[in-house]
DNA sequence: CTGTTAGCGCTTTCAG
DNA sequence: CTGAAAGCGCTAACAG
């Protein structure tokens, strides 16, 4: 059906091997021959059969990634963006991405083993790592190349490559930016104990300490807009001049509190999801493109790690939560 | 490195062919032999090299899907869920899913051609189809099997398989449910001209007509919470007893209007995203699992189509947007 | 620089 | 029911 190496060789009047060289190592074939071969390739619309190549070279050049189930929204959006970035950049490195699903960590390891052994994928990316992640030891022991997106939150796991976002740097930058509009920068985060959440709170504390200010306006709730709204209301009542949040979900709640209080102070979210764009508040972009690049870089080679610096995506101000009359003014054709 | 068919054959004291049969056509192998072979397989941890198999059988059993770039959030979440469903169900059919990215429709077609020709994937799923979709004619002409998620919005495109969600049925069900709490069911949707939006509005109109009621509380805005809030405020002022929305984004805006007006009427969104779960309003679930099943079913065979009925996911009431004191009552451990 | 030979691991003939 | 032979399309080695 599709043209093969032999067809091209026949058409160009050379051996199959020369065609192979022309494609894989063009610089070792005579320019004139090369041109003739390439012309034949174009004419026949030839593209190599990758199964044959992979069988021969026993390399899949394919990255396996588990698709997580995410009924929660934001988490899913982030992983989706990350997956997109990995896939896009992998293509530039002549690599493909195969996805799979698994119900739990053990099933994921089983899938990875299977894909690896059947040589469908030869490198893997682990997402949503947690304390004492079983997957890490299992894969390290099996000698399967992988990179974790997420730092090892405990020291017990086997040495491995990982990439993570420097949440501390993110909230620090956001806090510094907020200090321009007032000293009473509040933090709205999650209860202690979640690694990422603690990091984010730490960045706010650091920035306040560096500015010689007390880090006293601090509230912790679950990642839920209703709880966040209540907590934010208290922070406003306590005189907050801005609110740095550990997630866009919390920021959404804070915006709600602003709305009810007819207040207007800057709110900064985390993750820069569609909610932040839609409501127009600033948010910290995890910089998943950079994460993806780092992951691909570490996929082959000795265990190493990278901490990616997120970026504050500044937006003017909440457009929502303002009195309806003002909002109505935006009812025109200015939606972008 | 990994065990091969020959290893298993040697271990079991049979020919390679018998091992192949034991794996692919177990019923034609003598039970005793089969058991011996399987024991060897287990012992060696053998799994067939799929490149060799695919090379030999020239079938990839792999579905290609483009990952779209989605800065908008909701759209991304939906496609992500869909991708998850397809991947999960494909695994049950012994098929894999390969993802790729493309900047536009032409690039996508080029990618598909390439993947198909290099035999990395042999069937494709098209998402986000639109009027006069170039991809459809191109793939149909190239004879590459595919199914579109999204109905052909114009009659000009080549005959092909597609699956879509019956948005009309969704809003109709939602409207019927809302009629239980009051006759003045309003609709908050998008401007005319978007196929899906028109369908959703149509379902509301149908339900109102069937109930012998006027479909007069109807507003159209862009998919933006701020605009939605303003429009919803007007609908409330006009006496709406509930608001059916064309998206969760619009519903989010409506909840904001409720909050400002201290009103409490049912709001129904569309897509059942995390926002609906988080804020606790009802929403129409597109039923992407059923869509995925239909897509896989149509992937091979004559052109055909399926219309999947969405389901109303009922939730008690907006938990957010209520006065802060009430919200604060939910500040306990009841987050799920 | 080009051609020949060999074989990656599997499955499809076709004999036994 | 089992075994032997052939070849899917490609590239690593070597010989010319």
């Amino acid at each position: 059906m599709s043209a093969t190496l032999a067809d091209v060789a026949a058409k160009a009047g050379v051996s199959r091997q020369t065609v192979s060289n022309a494609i894989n190592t063009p610089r070792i074939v005579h320019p004139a021959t090369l041109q003739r071969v390439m012309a034949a390739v174009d004419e026949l619309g030839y593209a190599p059969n990758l199964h044959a190549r992979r069988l021969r070279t026993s390399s899949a050049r394919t990255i396996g990634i588990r698709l997580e189930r995410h009924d929660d929204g934001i988490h899913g959006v982030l992983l989706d963006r990350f997956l997109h970035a990995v896939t896009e950049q992998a293509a530039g490195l002549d690599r493909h991405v195969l996805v799979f699903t698994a119900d739990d960590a053990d099933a994921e390891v089983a899938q990875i083993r299977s894909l690896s052994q059947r040589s469908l994928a030869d490198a893997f990316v682990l997402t949503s790592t947690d304390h004492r992640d079983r997957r890490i030891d299992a894969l390290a022991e099996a000698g399967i190349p992988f990179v974790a997106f997420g730092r090892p939150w405990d020291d017990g796991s086997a040495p491995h490559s990982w990439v993570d976002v420097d949440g501390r740097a993110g909230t620090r930058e956001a806090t510094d930016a907020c200090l321009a509009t007032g000293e009473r920068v509040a933090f709205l985060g999650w209860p202690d104990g979640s690694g990422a959440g603690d990091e984010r709170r730490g960045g706010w504390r650091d920035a306040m300490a560096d500015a010689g200010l007390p880090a006293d306006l601090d509230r912790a709730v679950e990642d839920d807009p209703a709880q966040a709204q209540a907590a934010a209301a208290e922070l406003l009542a306590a005189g907050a001049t801005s609110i740095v949040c550990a997630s866009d979900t919390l920021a959404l709640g804070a915006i709600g509190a602003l709305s009810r209080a007819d207040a207007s102070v800057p709110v900064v979210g985390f993750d820069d999801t569609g909610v932040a764009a839609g409501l127009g508040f600033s948010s910290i972009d995890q910089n998943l493109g950079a994460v993806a690049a780092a992951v691909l870089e570490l996929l082959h080679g000795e265990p190493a790690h990278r901490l990616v610096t997120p970026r504050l995506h500044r937006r003017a101000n909440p457009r929502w939560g303002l009195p309806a009359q003002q909002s109505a003014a935006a009812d025109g054709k200015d939606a972008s």
Side-chain angles (χ1 to χ4, degrees), chain A:
Chain A
M1 153 158 175
S2 216
T4 153
L5 206 58
D7 299 334
V8 178
K11 179 138 212 148
V14 296
S15 76
R16 295 188 328 223
Q17 187 51 36
T18 302
V19 179
S20 177
N21 287 337
I23 289 169
N24 298 305
T25 334
R27 49 186 185 68
I28 72 162
V29 8
H30 192 88
T33 317
L34 180 60
Q35 190 171 356
R36 203 146 37 90
V37 170
M38 286 320 199
V41 165
D42 282 351
E43 217 166 319
L44 294 172
Y46 169 75
N49 180 318
L50 292 190
H51 295 308
R53 173 181 287 173
R54 290 172 178 184
L55 172 59
R56 182 62 238 241
T57 62
S58 59
S59 89
R61 298 190 75 82
T62 299
I63 298 160
I65 305 188
R66 172 187 178 188
L67 295 177
E68 299 196 51
R69 170 166 273 126
H70 43 70
D71 301 320
D72 56 344
I74 285 184
H75 199 63
V77 172
L78 290 178
L79 286 181
D80 199 15
R81 277 190 205 170
F82 173 64
L83 177 62
H84 185 103
V86 168
T87 304
E88 187 165 41
Q89 296 182 33
L93 274 55
D94 189 27
R95 263 163 234 279
H96 291 100
V97 173
L98 190 76
V99 295
F100 61 94
T101 61
D103 287 337
D104 54 39
D106 291 332
E108 180 176 359
V109 170
Q111 278 273 18
I112 290 177
R113 290 195 123 98
S114 165
L115 290 173
S116 168
Q117 198 178 359
R118 303 197 289 176
S119 70
L120 271 192
D122 45 16
F124 297 84
V125 176
L126 260 40
T127 57
S128 306
T129 55
D130 60 7
H131 286 267
R132 282 221 82 65
D133 201 302
R134 285 175 289 181
R135 301 171 297 173
I136 290 171
D137 291 336
L139 295 188
E141 194 178 346
I144 297 173
F146 73 97
V147 175
F149 175 11
R151 70 192 80 184
W153 293 108
D154 73 295
D155 301 337
S157 51
H160 66 282
S161 290
W162 57 266
V163 178
D164 205 358
V165 173
D166 189 350
R168 183 177 289 261
T171 43
R172 180 198 290 262
E173 183 188 355
T175 306
D176 285 340
C178 285
L179 283 170
T181 62
E183 291 190 339
R184 306 283 286 153
V185 180
F187 185 75
L188 179 52
W190 305 313
D192 281 353
S194 78
D198 298 349
E199 282 286 311
R200 293 176 190 186
R201 174 169 280 115
W204 166 74
R205 284 212 183 112
D206 289 354
M208 294 303 275
D210 287 356
L213 295 168
D216 56 340
L217 291 177
D218 184 359
R219 294 282 324 230
V221 298
E222 297 300 324
D223 200 46
D224 172 277
Q227 295 184 37
Q229 182 181 359
E234 295 174 17
L235 291 170
L236 289 174
T241 56
S242 50
I243 305 177
V244 174
C245 305
S247 76
D248 276 1
T249 306
L250 296 179
L252 171 61
I255 296 287
L258 257 55
S259 166
R260 289 209 63 84
D262 266 332
S264 177
V265 309
V267 167
V268 182
F270 208 112
D271 291 341
D272 199 24
T273 63
V275 179
L279 300 187
F281 59 82
S282 301
S283 188
I284 297 160
D285 174 2
Q286 294 216 19
N287 205 353
L288 294 175
V291 174
V295 164
L296 290 173
E297 185 193 336
L298 299 185
L299 216 37
H300 300 97
E302 293 305 297
H305 58 88
R306 298 265 188 286
L307 218 43
V308 169
T309 305
R311 302 173 295 201
L312 178 62
H313 189 153
R314 292 167 193 256
R315 292 196 180 79
N317 241 327
R319 307 199 329 259
W320 188 51
L322 300 180
Q325 306 87 283
Q326 283 189 241
S327 248
D331 208 325
K333 295 279 164 274
D334 64 352
S336 67

